[in-house]
Every structure is written in structure tokens, then in C-alpha cells.
Amino acid sequence: MPEKEKLRIDKYLWAIRVFKTRTLATEACKAGRVKLDGQNIKPSHEVRIGEVYQVSKGIERKVIKVTGLLENRMDAKSVVNFFDDETPMEQTSQFKSLFHAPLLKRDRGTGRPTKRDRRNIDELKSGFFEKGE
């Protein structure tokens, strides 16, 4: 297991596959989307075992606890040993996807909806949300 004494946060987030590229990880740190104890951190921040980071990536929010230092990117199955995902269930993307409304599509070439079509669509949408609550 490759371990190192000093490791930058941008390199660590890239290595554990939170971000696709190291540049994206660096930009996220600079933009304030990576936090330690509620404080923004720089890309050059040194990672220590036991620290808990809050990472925002689009609508996704993750809470990551460092359990090991990883310098180079590895396969996804091996990376799981170097961090614990402590994200609450309410914030996971799978939980959020359960509450999205179905995508309504119209057939191509049918044109704009008529007044009657619009009323039916509005009724269908409102009925869906009333049942889901």
C-alpha cells in the first residue's frame, strides 16, 4: 500500500476518485467547495488521517473521512479502503432521485399543446405531486 507523510488535498481527492481530474479538484478547493470543519481550504492543504472533509460537487454533497493516504490513482475497488463516506442518507444522490417527477414528453411533430392538452398536462402533474406527499 503506497502511503506518504505529506499529501495535498487536491491530489488526495483526485486519487480517491471524488473528482475526475486533479485540475477539477484544485478548482473546487479554490472555489470553496471543499471544507474542513466548515472552513474553506486551499488546494495545498496537507491531508491527515482522521480528518473529515465536506465536498460539494454540483447538487451532490459528500462527507469524507480520511482513513489512509493515497498518492496515486487506483482502481475503484481498492480506493474504498482509503476513506469512509459519512454522507447522511438524506443527502445521497440516490435518495434525491426518488423524488424527481417523471419526464413528460410529447411525440415529435404534434406541435404545441392545445388549451385542452395544457389542462390535462397540468392536472397530471398536480395529481402526481399530491400522491407523492
Side-chain angles (χ1 to χ4, degrees):
M1 298 272 175
E3 288 199 26
K4 192 177 177 184
E5 290 294 321
K6 295 181 181 179
L7 185 65
R8 292 169 54 111
I9 185 67
D10 60 344
K11 191 168 187 177
Y12 177 75
L13 292 174
W14 165 76
I16 64 168
R17 296 178 171 267
V18 174
F19 291 99
K20 194 172 186 176
T21 64
R22 188 166 169 194
T23 304
L24 290 175
T26 303
E27 289 172 0
C29 291
K30 287 179 181 177
R33 291 182 292 231
V34 180
K35 298 179 186 282
L36 173 65
D37 299 326
Q39 300 292 322
N40 295 344
I41 57 176
K42 293 181 179 181
S44 61
H45 173 79
E46 288 184 13
V47 178
R48 293 180 187 84
I49 294 176
E51 289 183 329
V52 178
Y53 297 99
Q54 297 84 26
V55 180
S56 300
K57 188 175 157 186
I59 62 168
E60 188 178 9
R61 308 274 187 264
K62 288 189 174 204
V63 179
I64 296 172
K65 182 177 182 181
V66 180
T67 58
L69 300 179
L70 181 63
E71 184 178 0
N72 294 325
R73 200 166 168 109
M74 298 173 66
D75 59 309
K77 290 181 183 177
S78 302
V79 167
V80 177
N81 302 327
F82 293 93
F83 72 96
D84 287 332
D85 190 3
E86 298 181 348
T87 308
M89 184 59 174
E90 297 86 33
Q91 293 182 358
T92 60
S93 60
Q94 294 87 10
F95 186 81
K96 288 180 181 179
S97 67
L98 293 175
F99 295 101
H100 289 294
L103 186 64
L104 299 174
K105 283 188 163 182
R106 290 180 51 84
D107 294 331
R108 186 176 175 97
T110 57
R112 289 180 54 179
T114 62
K115 195 170 191 175
R116 174 190 265 170
D117 292 338
R118 171 57 55 202
R119 288 183 185 141
N120 290 337
I121 292 169
D122 290 341
E123 184 179 332
L124 179 66
K125 283 183 179 179
S126 67
F128 175 78
F129 287 114
E130 289 170 4
K131 291 177 190 174
E133 293 180 340

